[in-house]
Amino acid sequence: QQQVHCTGHKNLAEAYMTQEEDWDRDLLLDPAWEKQQRKTFTAWCNSHLRKAGTQIENIEEDFRNGLKLMLLLEVISGERLPKPDKGKMRFHKIANVNKALDFICSKGVKLVSIGAEEIVDGNVKMTLGMIWTIILRFAIQDISVEETSAKEGLLLWCQRKTAPYRNVNVQNFHISWKDGLALCALIHRHRPDLIDYSKLRKDDPVGNLNTAFEVAEKFLDIPKMLDAEDIVNTPKPDEKAIMTYVSCFYHAFAGAEQAETAANRICKVLAVNQENEKLMEEYEKLASELLEWIRRTIPWLENRAAEQTMRAMQQKLEDFRDYRRIHKPPRVQEKCQLEINFNTLQTKLRLSNRPAFMPSEGKMVSDIANAWKGLEQVEKGYEEWLLTEIRRLERLDHLAEKFKQKCNMHEAWTSGKEDLLSQKDYESASLMEIRALMRKHEAFESDLAAHQDRVEQIAAIAQELNELDYHDAATVNARCQGICDQWDNLGTLTQKRRDSLERVEKLWETIDQLYLEFAKRAAPFNNWMDGAMEDLQDMFIVHSIEEIQSLITAHDQFKATLPEADKERMATMGIHNEILKIAQTYGIKLSGINPYTNLSPQDISTKWDTVKHLVPLRDQMLQEEVARQQANERLRRQFAAQANIIGPWIQTKMEEISHVSVDIAGSLEEQMNSLKQYEQNIINYKSNIDKLEGDHQLSQESLIFDNKHTNYTMEHIRVGWEQLLTTIARTINEVENQILTRDAKGISQEQLNEFRASFNHFDRKRNGMMDPDDFRACLISMGYDLVSGEVEFARIMTLVDPNNTGVVTFQAFIDFMTRETAETDTAEQVMASFKILASDKNYITVDELRRELPPEQAEYCISRMTRYIGPDSPPGALDYISFSSALYGESDL
């Protein structure tokens, strides 16, 4: 303002210097110019004197006593002049005129060759010169347009307003106005409803001029100061007359332009406010939807109710995979987008000098982060629990099948044993038969003892099934209890039969040693074959090549014992052959039944053939398992090969993004393009993650739960991928906010690079943040006096670190460096704009709002403004002061 004021004084001084030369020439004033000046200056004076209820008829006569001259100066200046002398003598008139001339001089005007005597004597040229000086000072000096003022400012204003009109080229204040089109263009530019410019003709200057004069006098309250014929017929119209008349148009239209500027300012402020409200509503909606999804999902992940079958648990695992692959990724993106929208909204509010946005209770970014953290904590152990449950069910199925097999074998062995032990065949037997019964019973006891291990195994398997919460534990327990009860009963019956046989043993003398020896050797060999058949048919479960190799080694060791077993078989069968030989030699007729055992040579041969048949089958089964474990090993290596590439790739990209965010090279737009390229490269890399997911699924479907070839699990890769996507999105958002800040604050790229260089120099840890001590050192290096200003530094820290995190980010550093230089709208500016629309009233009406503002902004104000309460308010008056304060958070709407 000071600069413009000084410029105005400079231009006015130049005008007054030029005025002295002009009036020297005006001693020979052109009669046509004198006539135009008389008419124009008289009309101009009367346009002001009529406000005081008077006027002049003859400009050189009516100002001679100085009274109307003093009155004119009081009207146009708004100030009181000294009290005039009332006398009619010449010295009274000179005194009054001198008072008027002194007042003009007090306003910084240099009067050239104009004295009170010439005015009192009615000197026409001096009087016209004095009036022109008054017009120049009070009507033209204060005109200011684009760094120009006074005459140049008025000329520039005319050129700007008439530039779009055909046949109009304003270059001066004389011949440029002769055809009348320039005046009509000025009127049409501001009031197109008064003149139809398209019907004007350049070859009708008198008609054009009279149209402009009549419209100006009738609708704009500008009196007619010129004659159309005089202007047209004068080769060069009087410049001062034209300038005086044109200045009246400037003052008539300046108020309308001021109102238009005020309305534009209000529209701009309201548009920003409406956009921010829309962003707030979108944030609230998105936050509510995300929190509702988390609320519904957590109970599902917290449910640890195990299923009873492997199929049901595998379906649970598949549902969880669908959740991680299909349902969760969009929510991760929504959460990231929510944080980005929140940061962008806060940046826009801060740049537009609005209060920070506070979401509804429970919907802060921190609330959403806490809810998300709770979701991930619950989710973390869910998959591990699922896999543990699947292993448990697999183990249960294996144990249940093994329990059933052993029970079947035991029940087959015990079948009929209770009936045999309960027989009393010894009461009618011969001595030989009694002896045979005794030996048979001893063989049975040996067999019974050999089966004790199987009963104990059955009980142990049943106990493990109960400990692992087997779903059909009741049936297992019932069957186990039945076997144990039967076993106890067998023991009791065995002891009773032995007691009975021992009572009659002394009555019998003959014993068949060969039958007894056969029975004794056949029984353990038979048990060995039973155990061998059981082992050869035993089910197994392994998870590695090492485990299956150990089984193959054990099987090879078993096969190595077969020659020795065959010798035992041959020896046992030799006893039988000896019996046949003795019977044949001594003509003994055999009954065909060994009295000491139920085992026959045929039984031994049959079981031996069965063992030899099961051995190659066992070989085949073990080799098939080897092939399966080798296939699993290939899957492990295939997964590990990809995971060992993808894991380091994700870490490398994270480090590259962090380096890009602190690198000075290039403009923000170039950094943005670089980050966008990084983001596109990351998105293009998604196919590798999907391929790894496929390999991971194949591994789990093959029940592969460990992998010694890599330290990366699929969960590590997923978490790293999600962090990478979130990091690149946040980094892009930070650069976008820097661009917003740069554009809104008017920061040049060089300034931004300088700020970045200073920040990076003091960012000693290279993590994109400064400690308070580093930030203090940075400020001191930039010229801030903080050596002893702890209070000032504490105030600055509250601006750059409002949450007291202990660090200063680059965005906060940029905001601080540009905060004091930003030109933002304030509540006072908006109030001043409303006051202009309200014509200086403290309230505004509905009609004024609808007339001055666009419909949408007008209705927005009407719906939110409160009723104005005051002694001078008409019905329906609205309070724009409280409304303006509320826009900037200084009160509530």
Side-chain angles (χ1 to χ4, degrees), residues 223-246:
K224 183 178 181 181
M225 300 182 183
L226 300 168
D227 286 326
E229 289 77 9
D230 291 342
I231 294 176
V232 173
N233 295 328
T234 303
K236 181 181 179 183
D238 181 65
E239 184 180 59
K240 298 178 180 61
I242 298 295
M243 195 184 306
T244 300
Y245 186 62
V246 172

Side-chain angles (χ1 to χ4, degrees), residues 418-466:
E418 291 172 299
D419 295 335
L420 290 174
L421 291 172
S422 300
Q423 288 179 359
K424 295 183 180 181
D425 52 342
Y426 53 85
E427 294 179 350
S428 59
S430 63
L431 179 61
M432 294 297 291
E433 291 172 344
I434 292 298
R435 290 271 181 154
L437 289 175
M438 187 62 188
R439 298 298 177 259
K440 182 178 180 181
H441 187 71
E442 288 176 353
F444 173 78
E445 286 180 326
S446 177
D447 200 8
L448 184 68
H451 282 80
Q452 177 68 34
D453 290 339
R454 183 180 294 153
V455 175
E456 292 176 355
Q457 290 175 5
I458 290 172
I461 294 173
Q463 182 179 356
E464 187 173 359
L465 287 171
N466 279 276

